[in-house]
Amino acid sequence: MNFTSRRRTHHRSEQTERPGLTELLPPPPVPGLDPDRELLLKETLLRKAAVAEPRGGLTPPVSRPRRRLVRVMVPAVACALAVGGIVVVNLADTPGHGTTAVTGGRTPGTSEAAHLLDRIALAAAGEPQPTVGADQFVYIESQVAYAGQSAGGGKVTMPPAHTRRVWLSVDGSRPGLLREEGEPDSSLGGDAPVYDLDSRGATPKPRTSHQEGASISDPTHQYVASLPTDPDALLRLIRAETRGQGQDPDQRAFTAIGELLAETWAPPQVSAALYKAAAKIPGVTVVDAATDAAGRKGIAVARTAHGQQTQWIFDRTTYAFLGERTVLTEAGDAGPAGTVVGTSAVLTKAAVDRAGETPAPTTT
């Protein structure tokens, strides 16, 4: 999992705090960086400065800046600059740097990943259609774990996996909820409902769809259900909507698809299209054996960039999506190649009537 992230719960606070932080903590000069890389370093520094160092001297994982997901990760460390106890991460200089897969990976550019993704897409297309009302919430329960690193550097520390529950409004009209073990509840979104007036004197009616503001980076269930089912059109849309979110457009697209798979509940034909779109991204490989956060073993589709490999893990028999894993592909201060820095396992996807409600247990 490219764990990052984030995201949704801290989006507004970062916007309000960032000007003050910029004045107090200017990033150290780093010679030889291009403007995009320097901006990346500045944003990493500001995010680190906004979070107090927890007990035990471990720096919390770097949050991803988007609103929908709040997953976090520690990027592969090529160079860490300690500034007042804050770790600034300098990723590999070249997009796609370190594209050799970790142990068990296959050679990038072969058709094996495309063949596997085609089988996965076929299995996804045969899944039951989710039954979700416009006024409901999509509930997703996962097991997750993210590595942390001390402010002084050194190897990352991987805690035990913990439970993460997310409730996302189907049409985006009501605040969602993030409930993560060991953390206070966080409201997701919080946009006020939009009302329409059919005629003068009529009773205002809440608009049932907020798709106007939804996007690949911040989707509602209705938005995901409306995505193109043609893989080429879908990939073009993903590339267009993730432009500017990183230097490597192929990795941006791969990451965005992984986030949609992990924390939305797409209709079968959209899921199939996402897998077929991923097969068209250069550098996608197959990893023979991977284990998710719940200990389930499977086969993985992966892509390597900036010294780390993102793996989507699938059941070997049913091709069901199990979870994600992020692994270092280059030895460094954070640890040797093969070090797992993020892992997840999707356990439940369901529709519920309100945020905070859990679905009834299924019986077999």
Side-chain angles (χ1 to χ4, degrees):
M1 185 180 272
N2 253 344
F3 296 91
T4 43
S5 115
R6 326 11 302 60
R7 297 170 64 97
R8 191 169 192 162
T9 56
H10 304 300
H11 179 73
R12 290 175 182 159
S13 63
E14 286 186 13
Q15 286 181 328
T16 56
E17 293 174 5
R18 185 165 292 176
L21 290 171
T22 303
E23 296 175 3
L24 294 173
L25 294 170
V30 182
L33 296 180
D34 59 36
D36 288 341
R37 184 64 62 195
E38 184 175 0
L39 178 60
L40 176 61
L41 287 172
K42 289 180 181 178
E43 291 179 348
T44 304
L45 175 62
L46 292 172
R47 288 199 298 272
K48 287 287 185 180
V51 183
E53 184 173 329
R55 296 177 186 177
L58 285 181
T59 300
V62 178
S63 295
R64 297 169 77 176
R66 299 185 200 158
R67 190 173 65 132
R68 176 174 56 87
L69 304 183
V70 200
R71 295 180 292 174
V72 289
M73 65 170 291
V74 175
V77 178
C79 176
L81 305 176
V83 183
I86 300 167
V87 173
V88 181
V89 177
N90 180 15
L91 299 177
D93 291 335
T94 306
H97 180 65
T99 54
T100 302
V102 296
T103 302
R106 305 296 176 84
T107 304
T110 68
S111 61
E112 184 175 8
H115 289 323
L116 176 58
L117 283 163
D118 188 61
R119 295 195 294 271
I120 292 169
L122 184 63
E127 289 294 309
Q129 178 82 15
T131 303
V132 186
D135 60 346
Q136 289 187 298
F137 289 81
V138 170
Y139 168 80
I140 299 172
E141 179 178 339
S142 307
Q143 286 284 309
V144 299
Y146 314 113
Q149 187 179 38
S150 69
K155 293 182 179 180
V156 296
T157 301
M158 194 71 172
H162 63 272
T163 301
R164 168 189 168 86
R165 296 183 175 93
V166 176
W167 290 263
L168 300 173
S169 173
V170 168
D171 64 4
S173 64
R174 290 179 290 170
L177 178 66
L178 168 65
R179 182 168 290 164
E180 196 152 359
E181 191 175 313
E183 300 290 338
D185 289 357
S186 299
S187 178
L188 302 180
D191 298 332
V194 175
Y195 290 87
D196 290 324
L197 193 64
D198 293 335
S199 61
R200 183 177 297 178
T203 302
K205 298 179 181 179
R207 187 177 300 172
T208 57
S209 175
H210 279 219
Q211 289 194 194
E212 298 87 346
S215 67
I216 292 294
S217 301
D218 186 18
T220 64
H221 179 77
Q222 286 187 345
Y223 175 84
V224 173
S226 72
L227 288 174
T229 55
D230 175 76
D232 292 307
L234 180 56
L235 186 56
R236 285 195 299 270
L237 175 65
I238 291 170
R239 290 188 184 280
E241 293 203 7
T242 58
R243 187 174 292 117
Q245 296 176 6
Q247 287 190 317
D248 183 348
D250 293 326
Q251 188 64 20
R252 290 199 308 259
F254 190 81
T255 299
I257 292 173
E259 289 172 348
L260 292 172
L261 296 172
E263 217 153 63
T264 68
W265 197 12
Q269 295 302 320
V270 173
S271 293
L274 287 168
Y275 292 124
K276 291 179 180 179
K280 297 176 179 295
I281 298 174
V284 178
T285 73
V286 172
V287 176
D288 290 323
T291 305
D292 71 8
R296 298 175 298 188
K297 298 183 183 299
I299 190 169
V301 172
R303 192 174 191 279
T304 303
H306 307 301
Q308 63 184 18
Q309 185 178 84
T310 303
Q311 302 173 357
W312 304 340
I313 307 170
F314 300 89
D315 184 276
R316 288 183 179 277
T317 303
T318 66
Y319 297 120
F321 179 81
L322 300 180
E324 294 180 303
R325 193 168 70 160
T326 302
V327 183
L328 299 184
T329 59
E330 300 175 353
D333 187 51
T339 300
V340 177
V341 296
T343 180
S344 73
V346 178
L347 304 179
T348 304
K349 292 187 179 183
V352 295
D353 293 330
R354 64 181 184 278
E357 177 186 358
T358 56
T362 56
T363 58
T364 57

